[in-house]
Amino acid sequence: MNETFSDEFIKSLKKFSSVRKRIVNKIDKILQHPLMGEPLKYDLRGLLSVPVAKNFVIVYSYCRICRKRGDDKILRCHDCSDMIDETVRFFDVGPHDKAYEID
Ligand SMILES: [Zn+2]
């Protein structure tokens, strides 16, 4: 499995050091089972989220799903076509409201 981490994700990982271990464990699980996440809707369609703690989520995409959906408007996976199918891309981690923000 190929994986990428956004700058935002790395920043958040440093910021939320108290739950870093849980986040890292969850990343491992996602890489083993990329379909485990809950599909997001509307502006975030094509992305998936997995809870780490209460109101605290990891937001990612799995490029095999990006393509299956044939959705060319996946906002954050804009350079999807450069990625192999078996790529998990981590976009953000943090409290709900923040992690779902679109930049
Ligand atoms: Zn993608």
Side-chain angles (χ1 to χ4, degrees):
M1 186 64 75
N2 186 30
E3 68 215 60
T4 71
F5 297 90
S6 70
D7 294 346
E8 192 81 29
F9 194 97
I10 303 290
K11 238 189 271 168
S12 298
L13 197 56
K14 285 181 187 151
K15 186 169 157 193
F16 302 111
S17 55
S18 61
V19 286
R20 187 181 310 171
K21 226 180 181 164
R22 291 169 79 166
I23 295 169
V24 170
N25 284 340
K26 215 49 126 175
I27 289 171
D28 279 349
K29 287 216 177 85
I30 292 169
L31 291 174
Q32 286 165 43
H33 308 284
L35 295 173
M36 70 186 284
E38 189 186 326
L40 300 176
K41 292 176 189 165
Y42 308 113
D43 288 351
L44 294 172
R45 66 188 179 281
L47 301 181
L48 299 129
S49 79
V50 165
V52 175
K54 195 169 190 287
N55 294 326
F56 199 94
V57 294
I58 292 175
V59 177
Y60 69 98
S61 73
Y62 175 32
C63 286
R64 179 178 290 279
I65 297 298
C66 297
R67 275 150 219 184
K68 209 170 174 182
R69 295 170 58 97
D71 194 337
D72 60 353
K73 287 184 179 162
I74 292 171
L75 294 170
R76 293 204 201 175
C77 203
H78 53 85
D79 53 351
C80 194
S81 53
D82 296 338
M83 302 292 149
I84 59 168
D85 277 3
E86 296 305 311
T87 302
V88 172
R89 314 191 72 188
F90 294 92
F91 290 97
D92 207 356
V93 57
H96 262 162
D97 301 352
K98 192 201 154 280
Y100 291 161
E101 258 172 35
I102 300 169
D103 14 32

Coordinates of all heavy atoms in Angstrom, one line a residue, residues 61-63 66-67 77 80 89, ligand 1:
S61 N -8.4 9.5 1.7 CA -9.0 8.9 0.5 C -8.3 7.7 0.2 O -7.2 7.4 0.6 CB -8.9 9.9 -0.6 OG -7.6 10.0 -1.1
Y62 N -9.0 6.8 -0.6 CA -8.4 5.6 -1.1 C -8.6 5.6 -2.6 O -9.7 5.6 -3.0 CB -9.1 4.4 -0.4 CG -8.7 3.0 -0.9 CD1 -7.4 2.7 -1.3 CD2 -9.7 2.0 -0.9 CE1 -7.1 1.5 -1.7 CE2 -9.3 0.7 -1.3 CZ -8.0 0.4 -1.7 OH -7.7 -0.8 -2.1
C63 N -7.5 5.7 -3.3 CA -7.6 6.1 -4.7 C -8.4 5.1 -5.5 O -8.9 5.4 -6.6 CB -6.2 6.5 -5.3 SG -5.7 8.1 -4.7
C66 N -11.7 6.5 -5.2 CA -11.8 7.7 -6.0 C -12.2 7.3 -7.5 O -13.1 7.9 -8.1 CB -10.5 8.4 -6.1 SG -9.8 9.1 -4.6
R67 N -11.5 6.3 -8.0 CA -11.7 6.0 -9.4 C -13.0 5.2 -9.7 O -13.7 5.4 -10.7 CB -10.6 5.1 -9.9 CG -9.5 6.1 -10.3 CD -8.1 5.5 -10.1 NE -7.2 6.5 -9.7 CZ -6.0 6.3 -9.4 NH1 -5.4 5.1 -9.6 NH2 -5.2 7.3 -9.0
C77 N -8.4 15.2 -3.5 CA -7.6 14.3 -4.2 C -7.4 14.8 -5.6 O -7.7 14.0 -6.6 CB -8.1 12.9 -4.1 SG -6.9 11.6 -4.3
C80 N -5.1 12.9 -8.1 CA -5.4 11.5 -8.0 C -4.8 10.7 -9.1 O -4.3 9.6 -9.0 CB -6.9 11.3 -7.9 SG -7.5 9.7 -7.4
R89 N -4.4 8.3 1.0 CA -3.9 9.6 1.2 C -4.6 10.2 2.4 O -5.8 10.3 2.5 CB -4.3 10.5 0.0 CG -3.9 9.7 -1.3 CD -4.0 10.7 -2.5 NE -2.9 11.6 -2.4 CZ -2.7 12.6 -3.2 NH1 -3.7 12.9 -4.1 NH2 -1.7 13.4 -3.1
Ligands
ZN1 ZN -7.5 9.6 -5.2

